[in-house]
Amino acid sequence: MVEFSKRVPADGTDAVGAILKAAADPQIISFAGGLPAPELFPVKEMKAAVDKVFDKHGQEAMQYGAAKGVTALRELILKHVAAKEDVHAELDNVLVTTGSEQAIDLVGKAFIDPGDTVLVEQPTYLCALDVFKSYGAHFVGVEMDEEGMKMDSLEAALKANPNTKLVYTVPNFQNPTGRTMAVERRQKLAELAAKYDVYVLEDNPYGEIRFAGKHVPAVKSFDKDDHVLYMSTFSKILAPGFRLGWLVADKKVVDKLTVLKQSADLHTDNLAQFAVAQFFEDNDVDAHVKEISDLYGKRKNLMTDGIKKYFPAGVKYTDPEGGMFLWVEVPGVDDTVELFKECLKHNVAFVPGDPFFAGDVQPGTFRLNYSNAQEDKIKVGMKQLGDALQEAVK
């Protein structure tokens, strides 16, 4: 019998995939996915950009390209991170990836040997856990509060785990909780990375989707010693189907990741890179992002209004200032997967919190997505979810 590598889950199951499949029933109002609002995809404008690319760069766009990415897009990324995040770098510090998920994978492949420790927020992005786990990572969860990862807990974890290879954080509108790390903690995180000589992977896919509060500078903006790897994506401000992410880091790190990328896919799609660069040249991207943010803010408010109106007393929830998700904690629930099944009977779905935890699971937790839900569905779905929770806690 052929044996799979240790990177393949031993039981062969895909728990999250099964949840999303169940939630895809047309009778179900699903708050389970993590999808942007498709009605805001700039289809007409992107078609015009692609037509221009074929006229100006047709042969180049259809040929093999550089593994680090199309120069025009990398230059755009440099300007973008300088203007938006106060991150200043050179062209050699930028790597374009096939979605931000590839950036996570390349970093995991480059830094993690079996048994190496990765420190993560508790809870954290489940797909990052899956990636790091595939390279044999040993996880240590770091406590959070409403201002993000707690720096005293992080330093204690760094002292207790001297073999730590990586600290992974989603500081803006975190997936799954929607929390944002306070600016003082970002500065401290950069200091701790230098003090303990450990890399920080700062994952910022949602940072521009802000509908309340004030912008907070990136952790990378406080990085004086090249210990922070900053990554983001065009998936949330343009469209996820282009699979365009990027990473800004020390040149020696980017060079190593480029070699690994070459063995994975040679290079990211040239046409998509040229098209996004052209789109930025021809359109007011800030106005487009504001439209996205305004819609998501409206939908988030409808969802939190539904929580206040229909959920049982004592339920806790986050109230994000941006992004796509909020997090719910229901006291007295011992099995969130069973709770999920009960909610399906009420034709409403969420993602149970279990797969977001690297260590001990906090029962009664789940993630809700508001970005991909029409307003009328949110109103109906939150009542149905509230009814299901009221029954479950009795």
Side-chain angles (χ1 to χ4, degrees):
M1 178 180 175
V2 176
E3 291 189 3
F4 292 103
S5 78
K6 293 180 180 179
R7 286 187 292 276
V8 179
D11 58 5
T13 61
D14 177 9
V16 176
I19 288 167
L20 295 179
K21 182 179 179 181
D25 184 324
Q27 301 300 316
I28 303 291
I29 295 177
S30 178
F31 304 128
L35 307 179
E39 62 268 34
L40 295 184
F41 293 161
V43 176
K44 184 178 74 171
E45 294 84 356
M46 192 57 69
K47 180 179 184 300
V50 170
D51 288 343
K52 278 190 179 181
V53 167
F54 275 119
D55 291 339
K56 294 162 60 176
H57 309 285
Q59 293 181 351
E60 188 179 359
M62 296 177 73
Q63 184 58 280
Y64 286 116
K68 283 189 177 179
V70 169
T71 299
L73 185 66
R74 292 164 66 213
E75 290 175 341
L76 185 154
I77 290 166
L78 281 176
K79 294 176 183 176
H80 193 74
V81 298
K84 301 296 182 183
E85 299 294 343
D86 198 24
V87 171
H88 302 278
E90 304 293 333
L91 196 62
D92 283 341
N93 302 121
V94 181
L95 174 66
V96 177
T97 59
T98 303
S100 60
E101 196 71 23
Q102 185 182 57
I104 297 173
D105 183 71
L106 293 175
V107 170
K109 189 180 293 184
F111 290 104
I112 300 170
D113 289 318
D116 285 342
T117 296
V118 177
L119 306 184
V120 298
E121 293 154 340
Q122 188 80 318
T124 192
Y125 176 44
L126 60 90
C127 292
L129 291 176
D130 289 343
V131 168
F132 299 145
K133 191 182 300 179
S134 75
Y135 294 112
H138 163 66
F139 293 110
V140 174
V142 179
E143 187 180 358
M144 300 178 75
D145 60 20
E146 292 309 308
E147 294 190 336
M149 183 188 287
K150 298 175 71 172
M151 291 300 110
D152 55 347
S153 298
L154 174 62
E155 185 159 22
L158 286 167
K159 289 178 179 177
N161 297 275
N163 69 330
T164 297
K165 279 289 188 71
L166 196 67
V167 178
Y168 174 74
T169 179
V170 186
N172 292 318
F173 321 129
Q174 193 230 24
N175 183 358
T177 66
R179 294 168 177 149
T180 294
M181 186 185 293
V183 64
E184 298 83 8
R185 296 188 185 184
R186 295 171 188 238
Q187 188 169 1
K188 183 66 174 179
L189 176 52
E191 293 171 1
L192 290 174
K195 179 179 178 180
Y196 291 92
D197 193 22
V198 63
Y199 279 113
V200 172
L201 181 57
E202 179 181 11
D203 188 359
N204 185 30
Y206 317 104
E208 291 190 57
I209 311 299
R210 175 176 282 280
F211 41 74
K214 294 182 179 180
H215 173 73
V216 187
V219 178
K220 179 66 175 170
S221 71
F222 300 107
D223 178 28
K224 298 179 175 63
D225 303 284
D226 288 325
H227 280 79
V228 179
L229 319 178
Y230 175 88
M231 55 173 284
S232 189
T233 176
F234 291 108
S235 292
K236 308 306 185 293
I237 62 172
L238 290 182
F242 294 127
R243 309 310 305 128
L244 283 181
W246 71 82
L247 184 135
V248 178
D250 182 38
K251 180 181 181 301
K252 68 176 182 290
V253 172
V254 169
D255 288 346
K256 294 292 187 184
L257 298 181
T258 301
V259 173
L260 295 175
K261 178 175 171 58
Q262 286 172 331
S263 67
D265 64 358
L266 295 183
H267 64 84
T268 296
D269 182 282
N270 280 335
L271 179 59
Q273 293 185 69
F274 276 112
V276 168
Q278 187 66 54
F279 178 88
F280 268 73
E281 184 178 327
D282 294 344
N283 295 277
D284 185 342
V285 177
D286 288 341
H288 174 65
V289 173
K290 185 179 186 305
E291 186 179 5
I292 296 171
S293 302
D294 289 346
L295 179 65
Y296 291 5
K298 179 181 178 182
R299 291 177 174 178
K300 188 275 298 187
N301 287 336
L302 280 175
M303 188 165 276
T304 53
D305 287 347
I307 292 174
K308 294 171 187 174
K309 188 172 183 180
Y310 300 118
F311 280 26
V315 169
K316 298 179 181 179
Y317 63 95
T318 57
D319 191 11
E321 296 181 334
M324 299 165 50
F325 307 107
L326 60 82
W327 183 249
V328 179
E329 300 176 8
V330 185
V333 172
D334 296 324
D335 189 333
T336 316
V337 175
E338 283 301 314
L339 178 65
F340 170 79
K341 293 176 182 177
E342 287 300 314
C343 290
L344 284 181
K345 296 177 183 177
H346 287 75
N347 292 326
V348 65
F350 53 74
V351 177
D354 299 27
F356 297 99
F357 287 92
D360 293 336
V361 171
Q362 181 182 353
T365 59
F366 56 87
R367 188 193 74 180
L368 296 176
N369 166 256
Y370 46 78
S371 59
N372 191 39
Q374 297 289 336
E375 286 80 356
D376 59 337
K377 296 290 187 182
I378 293 175
K379 292 176 181 178
V380 174
M382 293 306 288
K383 183 179 188 309
Q384 292 173 187
L385 184 52
D387 290 345
L389 295 178
Q390 294 283 4
E391 290 184 17
V393 299
K394 284 183 181 178

